Amino acid sequence: MSIEFAAPAAGGSGDSLAPADVEGHVLVVEPQEYVASITTSFGDKDAIRVNVHDITTQTSHADVLWFPGGLIGALKGQIGKRVLGVMTKGTAKPGQAAPWLLQDASTSAPAVAAATAYLTAATAATLAAPAPAAAPAPVAAPASALDAALGNLAAAGPTA
């Protein structure tokens, strides 16, 4: 007997998607969990694990870790929900880089319509038609009228 093993995914378990890659894009972000203190090359950092549906490019990214504090703050309280926004840069503080932010797009009718259409199509693509019902088993001819009556009663099911 042989056991098969799969290799781990390259680069970790999730997709890689930097905020800079989706700047200006309409996104549906699904926060999955807040992750405290991940060891990185820059020291221990907090992160938010998200699934991202890029409505602008019509692509989805699963299990993405985002580290920017502005994104963590905006998404930490939204775990289990869908957040509709546009990835933007905020105003930089002196000596710091501009923070990444999600600008609210939940009141934009075109953004809501585009996101709804994309998510509906993405969901529909994962559905399969039900398998055809199996043909009923052939029923033997009753041996007598009593057998026929009992068969009809059994087919009708119990009555109240």
Side-chain angles (χ1 to χ4, degrees):
M1 180 167 115
S2 175
I3 298 175
E4 292 185 35
F5 296 97
S13 61
D15 289 346
S16 176
L17 182 68
D21 296 339
V22 291
E23 183 176 6
H25 293 201
V26 176
L27 307 173
V28 174
V29 181
E30 299 171 334
Q32 303 299 305
E33 71 172 319
Y34 168 73
V35 185
S37 193
I38 295 176
T39 302
T40 71
S41 58
F42 301 105
D44 288 350
K45 301 282 183 186
D46 294 347
I48 189 90
R49 186 179 310 277
V50 295
N51 293 332
V52 180
H53 305 283
D54 186 336
I55 306 307
T56 303
T57 63
Q58 302 284 292
T59 57
S60 292
H61 307 272
D63 201 27
V64 174
L65 283 175
W66 276 345
F67 293 90
L71 296 177
I72 293 170
L75 298 170
K76 187 176 177 180
Q78 303 298 335
I79 291 174
K81 298 178 184 176
R82 288 184 172 151
V83 177
L84 181 61
V86 176
M87 184 65 72
T88 62
K89 279 187 176 181
T91 304
K93 293 180 182 177
Q96 295 183 1
W100 288 106
L101 304 171
L102 274 176
Q103 178 183 353
D104 181 18
S106 66
T107 58
S108 165
V112 169
T116 301
Y118 176 76
L119 292 175
T120 300
T123 301
T126 66
L127 302 176
V139 178
S144 68
L146 177 59
D147 289 338
L150 290 173
N152 288 340
L153 184 60
T159 59

